[in-house]
Amino acid sequence: MFTEKEIHLDTSAFPKKAVIYENPDIPPKACLLYFHGGGLLYGTKKDLPSLHLELLTSAGYLIVSYDYPLAPAAKLETIVADVEASIRHYTEQPSLYYRKPLPYFLWGRSAGAYLCLLAAAKNAFPTPPKGILSFYGYGFLCDDWFCTPSPYYCTLPEVPSSCLDTIKDEIITEGDLNTRYSLYVYARQSGQWKSLIYEGRDKTFYLDYSLRTCDRLPCPLFCAHSTGDTDVPYAEFLELCRKYRAQRFVVSRSLHDFDRDESDPAARKLLESTISFMEQSLQ
């Protein structure tokens, strides 16, 4: 059993919230700062399956799930700065989240994992995280896959560029799957994903918004991936693990977010491995 509480944050110029999940019967030993997926173009802070919330809070972990601004209205510079502000808010004002300070982990799925990795790579927080949980994340370490048409998405019905006409200029922090997913499909079919999330020189992109120049992270890394991932190549996962000597969790599935199926035993095994990693990191 877990409780859910929404709080308002004053860390940005636009409305932003976070949701805190807690098992009231189990004192938490650490906090998970969570950032959702969605290719930086869609998604919501309330995307975590019930299985994840139940198992992790029952294991003694507080979960804080954050909003963050979405592209294309917000570009990577704004998105990453906002994620860093959210993490800093937790480290500087822990009493707003729980009655005593707790050590924390950064946790993201897909694009959220990328944002966690990028924030951690800058090592700009007075209190570093105890670890990073990357569920099918990436660091733009391998060439081409993110700026050329995706073989998988090109098998889906074509989404025309006119989908961009429906996107408003104001920054939003939640993007509904029913109205924004087509934007992501277009981005991957056309090879325009990078241009929708970033404006500037390629050199700056690789220096500031990839992990190519980061040789070490400030904490241990846990990485989970499926061998047949349709969105992020398995080679990207292997390079991420090699570069940072990550603890690995691999499943043989032809899915990106394989843990969304709560009936799949792999989802529960993933969470059990995640808890084991955190227990070791807290020792």
Side-chain angles (χ1 to χ4, degrees):
M1 174 187 168
F2 60 87
T3 62
E4 176 181 327
K5 180 177 73 173
E6 192 168 78
I7 62 172
H8 292 261
L9 301 175
D10 58 359
T11 59
S12 60
F14 42 84
K16 192 173 79 168
K17 301 176 184 178
V19 179
I20 302 174
Y21 299 98
E22 176 189 2
N23 186 321
D25 298 323
I26 301 175
K29 63 189 79 172
C31 183
L32 309 184
L33 308 186
Y34 173 75
F35 297 88
H36 66 79
L40 306 174
L41 295 168
Y42 71 96
T44 170
K45 62 183 174 297
K46 293 188 177 183
D47 74 340
L48 283 169
S50 295
L51 179 67
H52 297 50
L53 297 172
E54 287 285 0
L55 289 184
L56 292 169
T57 56
S58 294
Y61 293 94
L62 194 77
I63 301 171
V64 182
S65 183
Y66 289 97
D67 281 331
Y68 60 83
L70 298 176
K75 302 303 183 189
L76 272 173
E77 181 179 5
T78 300
I79 298 170
V80 173
D82 184 76
V83 168
E84 291 174 350
S86 293
I87 299 168
R88 198 172 296 110
H89 187 265
Y90 174 80
T91 62
E92 293 176 354
Q93 302 187 60
S95 62
L96 296 179
Y97 297 86
Y98 191 66
R99 58 180 173 267
K100 68 175 184 178
L102 295 170
Y104 72 99
F105 292 83
L106 299 180
W107 176 27
R109 299 200 294 163
S110 195
Y114 161 68
L115 294 172
C116 289
L117 288 162
L118 213 57
K122 295 187 178 184
N123 200 12
F125 307 112
T127 305
K130 288 292 184 180
I132 304 167
L133 313 174
S134 171
F135 286 17
Y136 30 92
Y138 49 87
F140 296 129
L141 294 168
C142 297
D143 290 336
D144 298 333
W145 67 271
F146 52 89
C147 54
T148 55
S150 157
Y152 168 73
Y153 280 97
C154 285
T155 67
L156 303 182
E158 183 179 358
V159 176
S161 60
S162 58
C163 70
L164 298 172
D165 298 337
T166 64
I167 304 302
K168 299 180 180 179
D169 292 334
E170 67 262 23
I171 290 178
I172 61 171
T173 56
E174 288 194 279
D176 184 74
L177 185 69
N178 295 324
T179 58
R180 302 270 299 197
Y181 180 64
S182 60
L183 181 62
Y184 178 67
V185 175
Y186 162 75
R188 298 306 304 272
Q189 286 179 340
S190 63
Q192 297 299 309
W193 184 29
K194 177 169 163 280
S195 66
L196 287 175
I197 64 174
Y198 172 76
E199 288 179 346
R201 299 170 59 194
D202 279 356
K203 180 180 179 180
T204 305
F205 174 79
Y206 291 114
L207 283 173
D208 294 346
Y209 301 110
S210 83
L211 295 175
R212 298 190 185 199
T213 60
C214 175
D215 293 326
R216 62 181 299 185
L217 295 170
C219 57
L221 173 62
F222 175 90
C223 288
H225 218 85
S226 60
T227 56
D229 192 308
T230 53
D231 289 57
V232 180
Y234 188 60
E236 179 80 9
F237 162 76
L238 293 177
E239 181 60 17
L240 192 60
C241 292
R242 182 203 64 78
K243 192 173 178 72
Y244 303 117
R245 300 181 180 180
Q247 182 171 319
R248 308 181 185 197
F249 181 92
V250 179
V251 297
S252 180
R253 300 285 190 278
S254 295
L255 288 170
H256 177 52
D257 51 341
F258 64 89
D259 59 320
R260 71 184 177 196
D261 182 0
E262 299 177 59
S263 65
D264 187 338
R268 183 175 289 271
K269 289 180 181 178
L270 167 61
L271 294 169
E272 290 171 349
S273 295
T274 300
I275 291 169
S276 177
F277 168 81
M278 292 191 292
E279 298 289 336
Q280 293 171 10
S281 299
L282 286 171
Q283 289 178 359

